[in-house]
């Protein structure tokens, strides 16, 4: 009896190139012994609901789209209460998590990895009641990814994010917060400060830039160690400091004088006001208190 695979396709992701590769990818999966059901997503949230309500007979769930599509697939998987291996064919504008997993960006090669690859157990993040795959963030530039029109992303790629991000520089907000977190030795620590940006990640690549977190943590990033990498950037005291911070972000060489960086399995952010968050590049909601928990090796992905 053939194995069953559910192939979920976001045909609008990136430049829509999946439309020209759909038969080729399906053929690769069929030749690998799978009976393939193809499902094109119809709206935002559709991928999550489709995976959440999928039949248990599927031995593989393949998705093609960007980081937001993968986020929906993993969220639906976690909410379903049972696990199925995931195959990922990157087709977005940044593909941060695919870069971290060293997956091929060429769709045919990515399909071949799924057909002949191995399962890798990877950490997943929980943000209050929501799921994220590789980043939860607030502050400077975090609105760029979900406010930039898809057409601009398709046309300009990373440059679209930069152009939209520049618009925010004239209106930088500060976020007074109390951050309580578990240290790597299991003790509890507290930071109280004002920030312009914060990110909780499980990725080598953020926003298409491969070395921001990597430089800060000197390459010591594991996707299945049960720990997040956390970077919190303080409010600059003057325009000169702001320029130093922005320059450091550009070259991925952040000065610790302007930031906190540490690893943690669990954090609680409590703000004086409600804070907007982004989860895997999509709008994650507004809250005054956010509890983030690392779910160690909760996702199985083909690499």
């Amino acid at each position: 009896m053939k194995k069953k695979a559910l192939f979920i396709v976001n045909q609008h992701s990136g430049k829509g190139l999946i439309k020209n590769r759909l038969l080729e990818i399906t053929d690769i999966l069929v030749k690998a012994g799978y009976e393939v059901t193809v499902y094109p997503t119809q709206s935002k949230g559709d991928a999550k609901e489709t995976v959440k309500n999928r039949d248990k007979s599927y031995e593989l769930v393949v998705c093609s789209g960007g980081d937001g599509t993968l986020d929906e697939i993993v969220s639906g998987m976690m909410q379903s209460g049972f696990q199925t291996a995931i195959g990922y064919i990157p087709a977005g504008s940044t593909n941060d998590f695919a870069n971290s997993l060293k997956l091929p960006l060429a769709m045919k090669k990515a399909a071949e990895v799924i057909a002949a690859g191995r399962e890798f157990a990877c950490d997943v993040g929980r943000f209050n009641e929501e799921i994220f795959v590789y980043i939860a963030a607030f502050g400077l530039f975090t609105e760029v990814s979900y406010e930039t029109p898809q057409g601009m992303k398709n046309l300009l790629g990373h440059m679209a994010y930069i152009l939209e991000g520049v618009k925010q520089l004239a209106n930088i907000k500060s976020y007074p917060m109390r951050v309580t977190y578990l240290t790597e030795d299991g003790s509890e620590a507290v930071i109280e400060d004002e920030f312009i940006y914060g990110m909780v990640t499980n990725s080598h690549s953020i926003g298409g830039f491969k070395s921001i977190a990597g430089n800060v943590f000197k390459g010591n990033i594991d996707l299945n160690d049960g720990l997040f990498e956390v970077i919190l950037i303080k409010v600059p005291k003057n325009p000169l400091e702001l320029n130093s911070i922005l320059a450091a972000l550009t070259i991925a060489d952040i000065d610790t004088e302007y930031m906190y960086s540490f690893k943690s399995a669990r954090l609680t952010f409590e703000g004086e006001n409600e804070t907007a968050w982004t989860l895997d590049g999509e709008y994650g909601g507004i809250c005054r208190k956010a509890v983030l928990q690392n779910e160690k090796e909760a996702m199985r992905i083909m690499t």
Side-chain angles (χ1 to χ4, degrees):
M1 181 179 293
K2 281 192 173 184
K3 301 173 288 185
K4 294 180 67 176
L6 176 61
F7 185 12
I8 297 175
V9 180
N10 180 352
Q11 56 187 322
H12 302 295
S13 187
K15 297 182 180 180
L17 296 178
I18 186 62
K19 297 174 185 177
N20 300 322
R21 301 289 188 212
L22 191 57
L23 287 178
E24 185 178 34
I25 292 170
T26 304
D27 184 60
I28 290 171
L29 296 174
V30 169
K31 283 182 167 61
Y34 287 99
E35 177 184 306
V36 182
T37 300
V38 178
Y39 182 84
T41 59
Q42 302 299 301
S43 60
K44 183 177 177 61
D46 191 20
K48 180 171 73 173
E49 290 302 311
T50 301
V51 174
K52 180 180 177 180
N53 299 312
R54 75 193 185 285
D55 191 276
K56 290 186 177 181
S57 63
Y58 288 112
E59 297 178 57
L60 177 67
V61 173
V62 179
C63 69
S64 178
D67 295 321
T69 302
L70 180 63
D71 177 277
E72 286 197 32
I73 297 296
V74 177
S75 294
M77 189 80 69
M78 297 289 285
Q79 291 177 12
S80 73
F82 63 98
Q83 291 293 311
T84 302
I86 296 172
Y88 182 34
I89 298 174
S93 300
T94 56
N95 303 308
D96 280 320
F97 200 63
N99 286 328
S100 292
L101 291 169
K102 298 181 180 179
L103 294 178
L105 297 184
M107 292 182 178
K108 180 181 178 181
K109 290 184 178 180
E112 290 170 349
V113 166
I114 295 168
R118 60 181 177 84
E119 292 183 16
F120 172 67
C122 186
D123 297 345
V124 171
R126 191 176 293 276
F127 177 93
N128 292 339
E129 300 303 317
E130 300 297 322
I131 296 296
F132 66 96
V133 175
Y134 74 97
I135 184 171
F138 68 87
L140 188 66
F141 297 155
T142 55
E143 296 177 358
V144 171
S145 57
Y146 60 81
E147 288 190 346
T148 305
Q150 185 64 53
M152 185 180 289
K153 292 181 187 178
N154 292 349
L155 180 63
L156 299 176
H158 298 325
M159 184 58 67
Y161 293 100
I162 294 171
L163 292 174
E164 288 294 310
V166 167
K167 297 177 184 178
Q168 296 187 10
L169 291 179
N171 188 30
I172 294 175
K173 300 177 184 178
S174 66
Y175 300 82
M177 287 208 177
R178 175 185 173 92
V179 184
T180 307
Y181 65 97
L182 288 179
T183 64
E184 292 185 69
D185 64 12
S187 61
E188 190 174 273
V190 177
I191 295 172
E192 291 191 66
D193 212 327
E194 290 190 47
F195 309 104
I196 59 169
Y197 177 77
M199 67 180 186
V200 180
T201 74
N202 187 44
S203 177
H204 294 275
S205 175
I206 304 296
F209 299 98
K210 294 184 180 181
S211 55
I212 292 177
N215 276 17
V216 172
F217 294 96
K218 302 185 186 304
N220 183 24
I221 297 176
D222 291 318
L223 304 185
N224 62 344
D225 62 356
L227 296 171
F228 295 123
E229 284 70 43
V230 184
I231 297 175
L232 304 172
I233 299 179
K234 305 174 190 178
V235 173
K237 298 182 180 67
N238 52 58
L240 186 61
E241 280 196 4
L242 174 60
N243 288 337
S244 296
I245 291 170
L246 294 175
L249 282 171
T250 302
I251 62 174
D253 184 22
I254 305 173
D255 192 328
T256 55
E257 179 183 351
Y258 306 124
M259 59 172 278
Y260 299 93
S261 62
F262 54 90
K263 296 193 178 198
S264 178
R266 180 180 173 88
L267 308 93
T268 300
F269 289 82
E270 296 173 280
E272 292 183 5
N273 304 301
E274 290 191 325
T275 300
W277 287 76
T278 177
L279 305 178
D280 295 335
E282 303 293 332
Y283 179 64
I286 299 176
C287 59
R288 289 187 65 179
K289 181 177 180 179
V291 179
L292 289 81
Q293 175 72 47
N294 187 296
E295 302 283 348
K296 182 175 169 60
E297 298 184 336
M299 171 177 63
R300 292 155 46 209
I301 192 162
M302 305 300 287
T303 61

